[in-house]
Every structure is written in C-alpha cells, then in structure tokens.
Amino acid sequence: MAEREDSFVAVERVGSAVRLVLDRPGRGNALVPELLRDLRGAIERASTLHPPALILTGRGRAFSAGGDVSAFADAAGDPARLQAFSSEIVGELNGAILDLLAFPAPVIALVNGPVTGGSAGLVFASDIVLMSESAFLQPWYSEVGFCPDGGWTALLPERIGAARAMAVQVFNTRYSPADCLSLGLAHALAAPEDLEALLQTTVAQITQKDAGTLAMARSLIWSPERRERVASALERERQGFLQLVGRAETARRMKAFLGKGST
C-alpha cells in the first residue's frame, strides 16, 4: 500500500490487520484538512485489502488534540477564510467518521494518549476501544467557544445518554480511562507499555472469528439508514460550528486558550 512520503497518516501492518497512524506528533496529531484527507484516502485503500480489522492510533504521546486551534486563530482575521477553513475541516472530519462507520470490518481505536475536541469522533466511530491508562477524553468546546463537532452530539448521546452528553459540554469534563470504561466508551485498559500487547491479543482474537459474520454484523448495525441519520446530525454540527466560529467571543476565547494551553 503506497503512501506519500509527506503523508500525515502512516500505514502499517499488525499481522493481517491494517493500522493507520495519525502522524503529526509535533502538533499532538492535531487535525487539519490535509491530515483528514490523508486519513480518508488511507481508509479507502485499506478497505481494498479486506483486512480482518482496521486499527486507528496516533504517533507520539497523544492520540489527537482535535482541531488545530492555532490554525483557526490564524484565519480569524479574515471572515471568509475562517468560514472556508472551518467548513473544510469539519466536513472532512465528518467524512472520515462516516468512512469508518462504513468500513467492512471491525474498527479498533488504539487510544495511546489524550483525545480532545473533534478527534473523539474517530473513537466514537470505532467498535473496540483499547485505551492507555495515560489517556483521557475531553471536549474543550465550551472553553474555546466552538460548536461541538466530531460526533459529540451526533454519536455520544446514543452511547451515554443525553443528560451525560450535555453535562460533559457544560463542565468540560475530562473522562479518565476508568470513566471511559464504566461508560462503555472503552472496552479495555492497559498501562502504556502494555498497550501494544493488548492490541496483539485483540487482533488475534478477531482473526479467529468468521470474517463474513463480523462483516455482516457491522453492515447491519451500521446500516445505510442509520449512517444517513448520523450524517444528518454531523451536518448539523458543521452548520453550528460555522455559526459560532466567527464570533468576537470565540476569537477572544481562542486567544486565551492558546495563551494558557489546553492541559
């Protein structure tokens, strides 16, 4: 599977499974349109290989820091540019989420580190979430002034209930690995040094199952009708994002966020 030398997504093999690695470690694997386009292309190519499972993880200490706030801030002085950039990045993220939901094999999120903002959608769209004990999940939208995207309203309420999904936005709650396990957002936890071994065991278990059964089950669970409902909800997130991102209050909050950092 050939890939560009400058690709933001590395493609690796784990036995017969395919692993996609978000590869922008100097920026915490923060999402930009180029990375998301690389991810979508890698997902499409992986589907042609008919792997027993698709694995998604991040390079370095973070899974992904979500949308690159500095890139939004750089565009904030030009309203047309900011709207175009925001529409592109949220649109590509929505496309990547839907690509994962349509993938014809189980999808594993190997959460090696923090997951913030819209990158959580890549985890929400996965079937099996293996999480490092050094990781966490946190939205940050109410601090920065963005509309929740990445499925925080389109996918999460179905997983944990509407009240919890709203509360996490109100309080910018940081979900620990134990929280994610208890809420059903993670399936297994491991110390950072043991995460790869947990992945190997999980992939071995999947490859022992009937691939046709798993593919059929996934296509029935994520039926075209269900994916269309998710697509409509994701589009509402995109429209909400465009509505809020150009406000003076959002510009002020972005500046404050970048001045103090996110952790």
Side-chain angles (χ1 to χ4, degrees):
M1 186 188 306
E3 54 181 309
R4 296 195 332 264
E5 291 184 0
D6 61 343
S7 176
F8 286 120
V9 177
V11 181
E12 303 171 353
R13 282 286 196 172
V14 179
S16 55
V18 173
R19 169 160 46 190
L20 307 182
V21 185
L22 305 181
D23 197 4
R24 199 177 175 229
R27 301 292 298 177
N29 301 317
L31 305 179
V32 289
E34 296 86 351
L35 182 150
L36 290 165
R37 285 194 290 269
D38 286 347
L39 176 60
R40 297 192 67 188
I43 294 169
E44 181 178 6
R45 293 193 299 276
S47 70
T48 67
L49 300 176
H50 309 291
L54 179 71
I55 304 151
L56 184 62
T57 192
R59 185 84 68 202
R61 292 184 297 176
F63 180 87
S64 174
D68 193 333
V69 177
S70 63
F72 287 102
D74 288 344
D78 183 337
R81 179 185 167 207
L82 179 60
Q83 286 286 302
F85 177 78
S86 300
S87 182
E88 181 180 24
I89 191 170
V90 179
E92 291 289 354
L93 175 58
N94 290 352
I97 291 168
L98 293 169
D99 291 345
L100 289 173
L101 295 180
F103 197 79
V107 176
I108 301 171
L110 187 68
V111 182
N112 57 299
V115 183
T116 58
S119 59
L122 306 177
V123 177
F124 298 153
S126 300
D127 305 303
I128 299 165
V129 177
L130 309 178
M131 196 169 188
S132 167
E133 292 172 351
S134 67
F136 61 83
L137 184 68
Q138 191 168 12
W140 283 101
Y141 296 102
S142 58
E143 301 293 328
V144 186
F146 289 170
C147 173
D149 66 342
W152 283 92
T153 67
L155 288 168
L156 187 61
E158 186 179 68
R159 300 281 298 277
I160 67 172
R164 282 198 183 104
M166 185 62 203
V168 72
Q169 300 300 329
V170 171
F171 299 110
N172 187 34
T173 307
R174 176 175 292 194
Y175 284 149
S176 70
D179 295 331
C180 291
L181 190 65
S182 67
L183 290 169
L185 298 176
H187 295 79
L189 310 180
E193 64 272 19
D194 297 328
L195 193 61
E196 185 66 23
L198 176 61
L199 173 66
Q200 296 283 349
T201 299
T202 303
V203 170
Q205 290 174 327
I206 291 172
T207 56
Q208 292 172 4
K209 311 303 180 185
D210 183 77
T213 298
L214 299 184
M216 183 62 72
R218 197 163 203 271
S219 70
L220 293 172
I221 290 171
W222 290 110
S223 65
E225 296 81 8
R226 190 178 182 199
R227 284 186 279 118
E228 182 56 38
R229 291 194 296 272
V230 172
S232 295
L234 290 172
E235 172 59 18
R236 289 192 291 274
E237 290 184 347
R238 189 183 71 87
Q239 293 294 336
F241 200 100
L242 296 178
Q243 183 176 338
L244 295 186
V245 73
R247 300 176 305 157
E249 176 64 12
T250 300
R252 183 189 71 78
R253 286 182 174 276
M254 283 194 290
K255 183 177 180 181
F257 176 88
L258 292 170
K260 68 181 181 182
S262 62
T263 59

